[in-house]
Amino acid sequence: MSSHIMSAFDEELKYLNRRISEMGGLAEQMCADAVHALVNGDSALAQKVISDDVILDNAEREIQEKAIVTIAKRQPMAADLREIIGTLRIAADLERVGDLGKNNAKRVIAVQGTGVPRKLARGLEHLSELALVQLKEVLDVFANRSAQKAEAIRQRDEEIDAMYTSLFRELLTYMMEDPRNITTCTHLLFCAKNIERIGDHATNIAETIYYIATGAQPQGERPKDDSSNTLGAVVE
């Protein structure tokens, strides 16, 4: 490519990177706000999260359109092509993270009547904290393209799984102790699973960053420590 074309291509990549950063910031905020709204019964904040999802969807669409035009115009190869494909994959993960935040926000009204017991609220907040720290860290790694740091984040996925399993057990205990808790705890089970899946998407992003940086997929299975399916089978 000529220097003029290379400069234009670099600007296009910078645009995609900037939009990913903006998407990541909004997705983080939506998920944090959704949990805050859930434990505090804040329906106005929940509605804001639901409304913000449209902004995130539009951002993903813009990234897709820009990436397709860039590929068609520049016909990038090797590392340059990986950058664009990786950006598309990360945008899809961030859009899904936003959906999970929105889904949690939608459950705020459902639990408003009974409220969220303080002990369970702390569990949800802790799980959310773990997932959002992982998401924030992986977005920071996206800025410097460190394969080593991306792999380290990938290896930490089991921390969130273990916390989710612990909260799952606690929610089941509440339901078995008093049938009146079943409706509220069922909603909270779905919310906890949504938060755990945010961690899964952060791990997906870490794997994509590793691919962008190295041209290879990470070796071995990602660590998992989620035994909630087994626990559910025992209860049934």
Side-chain angles (χ1 to χ4, degrees):
M1 291 185 189
S2 70
S3 59
H4 172 72
I5 293 174
M6 281 297 296
S7 177
F9 180 63
D10 287 344
E11 287 302 314
E12 287 161 1
L13 289 182
K14 284 178 184 176
Y15 171 84
L16 292 173
N17 289 339
R18 186 172 68 252
R19 293 299 280 147
I20 287 291
S21 177
E22 291 166 356
M23 276 191 79
L26 179 57
E28 280 181 57
Q29 192 61 54
M30 286 173 63
C31 293
D33 285 348
V35 171
H36 183 82
L38 187 69
V39 300
N40 293 289
D42 189 336
S43 56
L45 184 59
Q47 188 54 54
K48 181 181 182 301
V49 172
I50 294 167
S51 300
D52 282 348
D53 187 56
V54 176
I55 300 172
L56 207 60
D57 291 346
N58 289 338
E60 186 202 14
R61 198 171 300 114
E62 287 173 18
I63 287 172
Q64 288 175 339
E65 291 170 358
K66 185 70 170 178
I68 290 168
V69 169
T70 300
I71 291 172
K73 282 167 56 180
R74 311 300 179 195
Q75 298 184 351
M77 299 177 67
D80 290 335
L81 183 58
R82 291 202 306 273
E83 281 278 340
I84 297 174
I85 298 301
T87 297
L88 286 169
R89 285 165 57 174
I90 292 170
D93 275 306
L94 291 174
E95 188 276 333
R96 191 69 193 107
V97 167
D99 284 345
L100 294 168
K102 177 187 70 175
N103 291 345
N104 279 354
K106 285 182 174 179
R107 294 187 183 272
V108 170
I109 295 173
V111 301
Q112 260 186 333
T114 56
V116 179
R118 190 60 223 158
K119 189 177 180 183
L120 295 178
R122 283 198 299 270
L124 283 169
E125 287 169 335
H126 187 201
L127 180 62
S128 173
E129 203 173 285
L130 282 177
L132 292 179
V133 163
Q134 185 159 327
L135 181 62
K136 182 182 186 305
E137 288 180 357
V138 82
L139 290 169
D140 289 342
V141 172
F142 175 68
N144 59 43
R145 305 296 196 273
S146 169
Q148 185 178 4
K149 289 180 180 178
E151 178 61 21
I153 290 173
R154 178 177 180 264
Q155 293 298 323
R156 280 171 32 211
D157 187 48
E158 60 187 338
E159 294 176 23
I160 296 171
D161 293 337
M163 180 64 202
Y164 166 68
T165 299
S166 173
L167 184 56
F168 185 92
R169 284 195 187 102
E170 206 165 343
L171 286 162
L172 288 182
T173 300
Y174 267 76
M175 286 192 279
M176 289 187 289
E177 286 178 349
D178 188 342
R180 290 173 297 182
N181 292 331
I182 289 175
T183 299
T184 296
C185 287
T186 299
H187 285 296
L188 297 181
L189 277 173
F190 281 110
C191 290
K193 184 60 181 176
N194 286 340
I195 296 168
E196 186 267 340
R197 287 170 68 194
I198 291 167
D200 288 339
H201 285 289
T203 304
N204 289 348
I205 293 171
E207 291 176 346
T208 298
I209 294 167
Y210 187 94
Y211 166 73
I212 291 171
T214 67
Q217 299 294 339
Q219 295 297 308
E221 294 290 322
R222 66 170 66 172
K224 299 297 289 181
D225 192 13
D226 175 7
S227 56
S228 60
N229 289 338
T230 305
L231 287 169
V234 171
V235 171
E236 289 171 359

